[in-house]
Amino acid sequence: MQTVVTRFPPSPTGYLHIGGARTALFNWLLARSMGGRFVLRMEDTDVERSSNEMTESILEAMRWLGLDWDEGPYYQSQRFARYQHFIDELLDRGMAYYCSCTPEEVEQMREEARKKGEKPKYNGRCRERDLGPGPERVIRFKSPLEGETAFQDILKGNVAVDNRELDDFVLRRADETPTYNLAVVVDDLDMQITHILRGDDHLSNTPKQVLLYRALDAELPVFGHVPMIMGSDKKRLSKRHGAMSVLEYRRQGYLPEAMCNYLARLGWSYGDQEIFSSLDELVEKFSLQNLSKSACVFDPDKQSWVNSQHIKAATPQSLAPILGDFLEANDLPRSEPPFLEQLIPLLQPRAKTMQEMAQWAAPFVRGDDELSYDSGLVEKFITSEVAAYLQRMQTDLRDLQRFDRESLESYMSRFLEQQGIRFKHMAQPIRVALTGSKASPGLFETMELLGRESVLTRLERALQLTEA
RNA sequence: GUCCCCAUCGUCUAGCACGGUCCAGGACGCCGGCCUCUCACGCCGGUGACGGGGGUUCAAAUCCCCCUGGGGACGCCA
């Protein structure tokens, strides 16, 4: 059996967005699950709109997601001679021709067709003029005038288009650069691509490419057009729907495994399973059979839930460096990994994103003096009655033999009993004093992690605030 | 406008290729409850869909047709 070779061909005219990332993921998964190869190729034939910055950003996003490539990245801009070779061949064989019609003239032809209620297209004026090379001339493909062009699609089944719907599309622009349709076919042939998984929006391009494959006497790869991802308004995903670049999700604190997990489940399923812990698990379970045919809506709520599940399942060790980065990004002290690894388990159940985790971590990583108190909170919870209890606790805590959560908890129950009060009355005041916030991880874990000195200092600071 | 594709809860989906086991299952969300030192987590329960109409059949979410709805393409962009 032939090895499977898939590819991902982004155009460096924009960021790697959600849709592109999913296409990349599917192709990568297919290659990996079949023991094949995955090729990365930059489609930068539109020199004007392509940029190095975008190329870098796309590569960065691919690396972040963990989608490694076996070949490339190839750059179409470096392969122009190769495309020219094929164009010459088509010219020689009378399957392509020079056309001197200006863009304005072609637009007029389309306008006329539209007026007649027909499909807007080039009318083939130069088709039989036998023009040679010349300035401002493009090269067009000589499409068949009748019959139909059909191909098999693993998702859509048999797709057929009447050739009268097709026109003589441009192969080479007036500036002598090749167009997309020609370049993809040449590249996919050269790179021996066996499977092409791409967005639904390419479905109507495919017949043109099929025609080129036939003109070149080449065998067709397997096509699979996956449905597009849309925004909540069922419109094409755009800036309105939130982040465009997948790197933006990294910035917001999404984990790459969670990103791949959610993306994979958009248009693909494996029974009732929602959480796939790693790329490896996805590879193991991926199959073309389970791809769905209809468009889907990107749901940030579910994405966020998936992320929270991955955060809960991750090891503190793996999360520590990431949390460190987020602390830094939030102008908080980065803290040492050993401390973070102790802190993280307290935060894992509460954070949906790493950014949120950094927020939760703030009271723990900030020095005792840097902790800021909301005067309203202090006033509300630390009443004079409560302050008296807190003072008594201060003394006790200073002398407490051990400062771990069990000892603290048993001390607390003794204290409450002695004073004849309930924990409910003390919990929030202590929490506010220790963290400056009315929401935090469990009190005893918090105290244990903060340590005796910090706890005493913070209690003291809070008490002073009430006196003032 | 023309052509192509698609159609199960608000959303992601299972089921559809081999029609009965589906008065349709899971997940997110939402609502209610439990747990509880706060916020979360977790647990339990609830809400909620086969777009419509015709066929075929003893029987249709599953097969066929039409309609409707949605999406995509119609570039010297990819």
Side-chain angles (χ1 to χ4, degrees), chain A residues 367-385:
Chain A
D368 299 334
D369 302 334
E370 273 89 61
L371 196 68
S372 59
Y373 291 100
D374 178 310
S375 60
L377 279 184
V378 173
E379 268 172 48
K380 181 178 174 199
F381 288 106
I382 308 183
T383 59
S384 55
E385 180 202 6

Side-chain angles (χ1 to χ4, degrees), chain A residues 45 55 58 114 128 162 171 199 203 232 245 260 292-293 315 332 334 338 363 365 401 404 427-428 430 441 457 467:
Chain A
T45 55
T55 301
I58 291 168
R114 257 190 288 264
E128 305 301 341
D162 191 318
L171 297 174
L203 196 59
S232 52
S245 165
C260 289
S292 74
K293 306 207 276 184
T315 61
L332 289 162
R334 215 190 145 98
V365 297
Q401 282 221 317
D404 54 51
Q428 284 304 72
I430 297 174
T457 312
E467 285 162 20

Side-chain angles (χ1 to χ4, degrees), chain A residues 335-406:
Chain A
S335 279
E336 294 305 310
F339 178 74
L340 292 183
E341 285 173 30
Q342 281 182 281
L343 169 60
I344 286 169
L346 311 195
L347 274 25
Q348 276 172 303
R350 325 186 130 67
K352 285 197 146 106
T353 63
M354 293 308 289
Q355 171 58 25
E356 273 183 34
M357 191 181 278
Q359 304 289 337
W360 282 105
F364 292 90
V365 297
R366 261 203 259 261
D368 299 334
D369 302 334
E370 273 89 61
L371 196 68
S372 59
Y373 291 100
D374 178 310
S375 60
L377 279 184
V378 173
E379 268 172 48
K380 181 178 174 199
F381 288 106
I382 308 183
T383 59
S384 55
E385 180 202 6
V386 165
Y389 289 125
L390 288 180
Q391 272 158 2
R392 262 164 258 170
M393 281 181 54
Q394 271 184 303
T395 333
D396 293 344
L397 289 175
R398 199 166 287 131
D399 300 332
L400 199 65
Q401 282 221 317
R402 298 176 47 191
F403 212 78
D404 54 51
R405 62 188 79 171
E406 290 79 18

Side-chain angles (χ1 to χ4, degrees), chain A residues 18 31 39 66 89 124 126 143 276 289 309 343 399 404 417 456:
Chain A
I18 293 298
V39 177
E89 186 173 329
C126 297
S143 291
F276 298 83
Q289 315 295 323
Q309 297 300 307
L343 169 60
D399 300 332
D404 54 51
E417 204 176 329
L456 291 173

Side-chain angles (χ1 to χ4, degrees), chain A residues 206-234:
Chain A
T206 308
K208 297 180 197 172
Q209 293 169 23
V210 168
L211 252 19
L212 284 175
Y213 276 98
R214 297 214 203 292
L216 264 16
D217 293 319
E219 242 178 84
L220 294 182
V222 175
F223 290 105
H225 288 90
V226 302
M228 311 195 50
I229 303 175
M230 285 170 305
S232 52
D233 52 1
K234 294 265 185 154

Side-chain angles (χ1 to χ4, degrees), chain A residues 233 235-244:
Chain A
D233 52 1
K235 292 273 185 286
R236 214 190 175 114
L237 224 41
S238 73
K239 288 192 193 71
R240 284 195 322 267
H241 306 290
M244 279 313 292

Side-chain angles (χ1 to χ4, degrees), chain A residues 157-229:
Chain A
N158 191 273
V159 181
V161 175
D162 191 318
N163 286 336
R164 281 170 296 204
E165 289 294 319
L166 274 21
D167 68 356
D168 291 348
F169 55 94
V170 173
L171 297 174
R172 197 185 78 173
R173 305 181 185 103
D175 65 3
E176 303 195 354
T177 59
T179 59
Y180 163 74
N181 282 116
L182 187 269
V184 247
V185 171
V186 170
D187 284 344
D188 288 338
L189 243 25
D190 277 357
M191 296 164 197
Q192 297 173 42
I193 304 300
T194 60
H195 296 250
I196 297 177
L197 256 34
R198 55 172 35 153
D200 228 341
D201 49 340
H202 281 284
L203 196 59
S204 46
N205 266 324
T206 308
K208 297 180 197 172
Q209 293 169 23
V210 168
L211 252 19
L212 284 175
Y213 276 98
R214 297 214 203 292
L216 264 16
D217 293 319
E219 242 178 84
L220 294 182
V222 175
F223 290 105
H225 288 90
V226 302
M228 311 195 50
I229 303 175

